Amino acid sequence: MKQKKNIVFYIYLIFAAITISPAVLLAQSNGIVDKIWNAVGGKNKWETTKYIMFTVSGNSKYPAISGNRKFLLDKQTGNVRFEGTLNNENVVALLNVQNQKLNHVYDENGAEMAVHTYKELLPDLIAQYNIDLKVLSLPITIMSSNISSQSSSKIINAEKLQKLDFSNFLGNSGSFYVSEESGLVKRLDYDNKSYLVNGYKDIGNGLILPTTFKATSDSITYQKVASFTEMEPEKFKSF
């Protein structure tokens, strides 16, 4: 009889471990998510930021888009102003990423060019914009990338980091490492590369984002980044 009671007791312990452990892990995951939000300035800072401007080099995925790229975006309307090189020509392109429409294209002197000449490049331009924005806003992007509830800790450069796995960031799975003290993302393992994440800056209104991503054979740098709550509407309408 005593042996049967012991078996029942052990079964109960196993059941408790199975049911309680995921809840504990999920609580740990939620805790680090809170730290990440605090590190970037708070969820409200991101939500109330209406406009973001950034200039980026590296991580160019499309041959027609070369050199440094500058984007100014209206988060609410989807209007985007692009300044950079398309098909080896310096241009200013005004587009909307929500309705995927190219509205105007100008040369570097402000002369308007035929929109239909560049329409075939619109999907690539929007795709590059999405990549650049998601990398810049990495701490925010990864929180919507199906983070695993399981985590582990690792010491890197004398700093204790919490490793979390994700199933979808720019279409790939991988891991990121967050400082358990500051909540800053310090490393990203993705696309068979390991990026050190650094260069955190207050880009305006208390919103803090990373600006440098360095791997052994690759690097992504955001030379200029700024956020605004107001912007001249003409920026999205004309040269």
Side-chain angles (χ1 to χ4, degrees), residues 64 66-68 82-93 105-111 113 118 239:
S66 57
N68 292 356
F82 165 81
E83 298 179 26
T85 305
L86 294 179
N87 282 346
N88 298 316
E89 190 163 10
N90 295 330
V91 302
V92 173
V105 180
Y106 303 91
D107 68 16
E108 58 185 331
N109 298 313
M113 307 171 73
Y118 293 91
F239 183 83

Side-chain angles (χ1 to χ4, degrees), residues 148-239:
S148 170
S149 61
Q150 296 185 358
S151 64
S152 59
S153 295
K154 188 173 184 178
I155 303 297
I156 300 178
N157 296 329
E159 186 175 17
K160 189 176 182 181
L161 305 179
Q162 187 167 343
K163 177 189 175 185
L164 292 168
D165 298 325
F166 55 83
S167 60
N168 182 22
F169 173 69
L170 299 178
N172 290 290
S173 60
S175 305
F176 61 94
Y177 297 78
V178 184
S179 169
E180 293 190 358
E181 181 179 355
S182 67
L184 296 176
V185 178
K186 292 301 187 75
R187 178 173 138 183
L188 171 68
D189 291 350
Y190 141 83
D191 198 21
N192 297 318
K193 296 178 183 177
S194 183
Y195 291 91
L196 295 180
V197 184
N198 215 322
Y200 280 87
K201 295 179 181 178
D202 185 333
I203 69 168
N205 194 35
L207 182 61
I208 300 169
L209 296 178
T211 60
T212 61
F213 304 80
K214 293 185 178 180
T216 304
S217 59
D218 190 16
S219 65
I220 308 166
T221 305
Y222 292 79
Q223 295 95 335
K224 295 181 180 180
V225 187
S227 67
F228 312 92
T229 55
E230 296 182 1
M231 181 62 58
E232 305 92 328
E234 290 75 19
K235 286 286 185 181
F236 302 102
K237 295 179 179 179
S238 63
F239 183 83

